[in-house]
Amino acid sequence: MEAASELPYRKSGEKPGRAAPEARVSGQTVMKAIRGFDLKEQATGVKCEKRQCETLYVEADEDHVAGQNGRTYMPMLVYVHEGKDESQRRRLKMPRYFSGLYNETEELWLWVLNYIEEHYDMNFLKRIFVCGDGAAWIKTGLRVLPKSVFVLDMFHLNKRLLGVLGRGSQEYKEAWRAIRAGDQVTVDRLLKEATVFGETPNQVKMAQDCRRYIRLNWDGIMARRLYPDADLGVSAEGHVSHILSARLSSRPMGWSKKGVDQMSRMRALKANQVEIRAKYLEQHRRGLSPHPGHLVNTLFAP
């Protein structure tokens, strides 16, 4: 199970056989074991001393995974942290990861809220920055998480501006100067000109899409001016690559919906420093029937 979170099912089934040939199992057996693994989030119910933190960061993005029969699945990744530790190469402080496929996006955000309420003093907490590319499912978090403010990921904004205006062009530089100054009128004018003077239908469409994107997410752009601590540098793209893409989408393979969901949840567990082996055995033991001899001894114990 642990090996399968890093290796294809067949190779992970062969791994135990290196020490004990009789322990080698097929890739099909590994797949069945993973599909029978209960990886749904569960409320812990454990009372712990809640951390006092004025600001929390919630970053979100998704992967695009090739499914069987030509389908594409988009497992979501959301992680909560307290900022970056400058003394530890800007590693995240107290990160907690959530991932999987969700029919209802709100379900994912309710689990994120549940985690925050269990681990943080909500009266002490002043603000939650929700950082991402502006997708509708990410903005759903604003309706669920209290004291939340959306912050647009500048990586995605820059990617769109480059596609329309071109790196190094005068218009590109002027657009960024206007964004930093909070001048939406100038940005809109530049993109309108790019729409009018686009040489191909594709260029026109890209300029229109970028113009609409900035209009819809202007509040997220301005959040960096209004809240200095919001400009932390979003790292969602890298986290998706490391946690999800490395196993799910960087190799030429087709996944089932169940496989994508289970594997993305397993990868999030590993990122949370949870031992897959220990969690699986714990669930397995709970599902075992009592041994007949043990049951008899219990019934007739003095």
Side-chain angles (χ1 to χ4, degrees), residues 59-270:
E59 301 187 44
D61 204 349
E62 74 277 342
D63 196 10
H64 297 264
V65 180
Q68 296 166 352
N69 301 321
R71 298 190 63 180
T72 298
Y73 298 107
M74 293 192 297
M76 304 168 186
L77 177 67
V78 176
Y79 51 102
V80 182
H81 61 91
E82 298 176 8
K84 295 181 179 178
D85 189 343
E86 299 296 337
S87 65
Q88 295 291 325
R89 295 185 180 180
R90 293 179 63 78
R91 288 185 180 178
L92 303 183
K93 299 177 186 176
M94 301 296 294
R96 176 71 161 87
Y97 300 88
F98 302 82
S99 189
L101 295 175
Y102 291 84
N103 293 327
E104 297 293 335
T105 305
E106 192 168 297
E107 179 189 352
L108 168 60
W109 288 108
L110 286 172
W111 281 115
V112 174
L113 174 62
N114 183 71
Y115 167 78
I116 293 174
E117 288 179 336
E118 279 190 347
H119 292 82
Y120 291 92
D121 184 341
M122 298 301 289
N123 293 321
F124 193 84
L125 183 64
K126 291 183 178 179
R127 195 164 288 109
I128 300 175
F129 290 116
V130 178
C131 313
D133 63 4
W137 75 267
I138 295 176
K139 289 189 173 180
T140 299
L142 300 174
R143 300 200 304 265
V144 177
L145 303 181
K147 309 175 184 179
S148 57
V149 174
F150 177 65
V151 181
L152 184 66
D153 180 357
M154 291 294 141
F155 172 82
H156 290 88
L157 173 60
N158 187 54
K159 190 174 179 180
R160 287 174 179 263
L161 287 173
L162 282 173
V164 175
L165 303 177
R167 186 184 298 276
S169 70
Q170 190 59 39
E171 291 79 8
Y172 173 78
K173 295 175 183 178
E174 189 177 349
W176 268 113
R177 280 196 296 268
I179 288 170
R180 295 188 184 99
D183 183 359
Q184 186 180 6
V185 174
T186 297
V187 178
D188 192 67
R189 174 181 58 79
L190 290 167
L191 292 173
K192 185 178 180 180
E193 290 174 358
T195 302
V196 173
F197 297 110
E199 296 180 0
T200 66
N202 185 54
Q203 289 177 340
V204 171
K205 187 178 184 306
M206 287 178 63
Q208 289 174 335
D209 289 345
C210 185
R211 189 181 179 193
R212 186 183 306 111
Y213 181 77
I214 289 177
R215 281 182 173 181
L216 291 173
N217 292 290
W218 188 254
D219 288 347
I221 296 172
M222 289 299 96
R224 296 171 181 272
R225 288 170 54 85
L226 295 173
Y227 307 99
D229 49 346
D231 194 7
L232 190 68
V234 180
S235 56
E237 193 87 4
H239 278 83
V240 166
S241 176
H242 176 68
I243 296 174
L244 298 181
S245 303
R247 179 66 177 91
L248 287 165
S249 61
S250 63
R251 300 164 183 168
M253 60 179 74
W255 290 83
S256 68
K257 182 177 180 180
K258 181 70 172 179
V260 172
D261 185 48
Q262 291 290 86
M263 185 55 66
S264 56
R265 291 173 187 269
M266 280 181 62
R267 296 282 294 183
L269 277 181
K270 290 203 72 173

